[in-house]
Amino acid sequence: MRVVRFVSRYFFDFLNSQDFWEMRFASSLAGSDSNNSIQLTNLEMSRIHEIGLPYASSQIEMGKSLSSKSYTKQFTVPGNHYGDVHCIKILAGDSKIALSGSRDKTICVYDLSMLGTKENCVVNTNSDHNGWIWTIDQEDNNFSKIVSGSWDSFINFYELGRGDLEKVAELPVHSAILCTRYETNMLLYGTYSKYVAGYDTRSGKVEFKLKHHNKPVLSIAASPNYIWSSGEDYALTCYDRRAKKLLKRIRMERISSSISFTEPYLWVAGYDGYIKCFNNEMKIVSKFETGHSQPILDMAHNMGATATACKDGGVKVFSPNLHPQTWNSFSLDNSASCVDYKDGLLMVGCCDSTVTFWQNKF
């Protein structure tokens, strides 16, 4: 017993040491050869050390778990929507819940623990909206709070219960809502009426409206200091929240359909089939061709992976760095309209009303 006690203590100290996690992280970046290894910039490495090597290692390892088609299982969930699926969301936290919104005006609730079983993983359907549902989001740091935006010009606020959504409030906007970004106590939303607004959920007041677009706003991203938006007018804008002014407005060559901010870069996917990365000065630091033959309709990016959904039905998964490796490609029979990725699980909504999941078999 005395020997076991000291051996266990040794392994405990080793598994919590900086040396162990540096080796673990290096292993997560390694490929079959040097050409397939994930290469990180100094700025990316600095951010990873801020977050912590254990978390970064686990995220990259879960992302790479989708890289082998022979070990990746596909689950398609048909028949719960009867219209195009426009938005999806894998919820953060321990809920094992995902959501999808459709042109049929409903939100479906999925119990992810039932994937691969004989049970129907759709455990609830919500019909509170009277128009096409374009966006679903979850509040940062409060995983039970959900928001949805619709063509009916209403934003609905929900509390997530045990497999269902309880509507607790609504916000009339007088314009179709096309995109949202749900920060802590602040909801940012983009509209068909060409503006971005900020709604304080504590005071119940719209704090600001930003009118920087000439056509509908398609996507929003945000950090504590900036708000980015893209629109059908080909514009990509950056608003400085501290100075309360437009910092920069860039006219892109094609429409930027989806934007996402993961410290320290803004990730922009567009109809040209490229993903571009911008720094805080709105200068391009990376641009890579995804290989899609038609417009990218949606993108998901976080520390684990970058995923894209294309009009041609193609779905791709990349490493999450500035100079990415293509980890996997999937093909669907119909246009892939929306995508989300979280913790080794890939979710895609399609125009044929189906939702498809991929995850590692093990």
Side-chain angles (χ1 to χ4, degrees), residues 284-347:
I284 293 181
V285 294
S286 174
K287 175 182 177 180
F288 64 93
E289 187 176 3
T290 60
H292 287 298
S293 61
Q294 293 188 35
I296 299 173
L297 299 182
D298 197 20
M299 171 190 65
H301 175 82
N302 55 39
M303 185 167 285
T306 303
T308 54
C310 181
K311 189 176 181 179
D312 63 6
V315 178
K316 291 180 179 287
V317 183
F318 305 91
S319 60
N321 55 315
L322 281 182
H323 307 289
Q325 303 290 329
T326 302
W327 279 342
N328 216 331
S329 299
F330 307 98
S331 181
L332 298 171
D333 293 334
N334 290 276
S335 175
S337 53
C338 49
V339 63
D340 199 13
Y341 167 81
K342 192 172 273 85
D343 296 343
L345 178 68
L346 181 67
M347 180 181 183

Side-chain angles (χ1 to χ4, degrees), residues 223-244:
S223 73
N225 296 330
Y226 304 101
I227 297 172
W228 297 273
S229 61
S230 64
E232 288 185 5
D233 57 0
Y234 292 65
L236 177 66
T237 72
C238 178
Y239 175 77
D240 190 322
R241 305 175 87 160
R242 299 162 298 179
K244 297 184 179 180

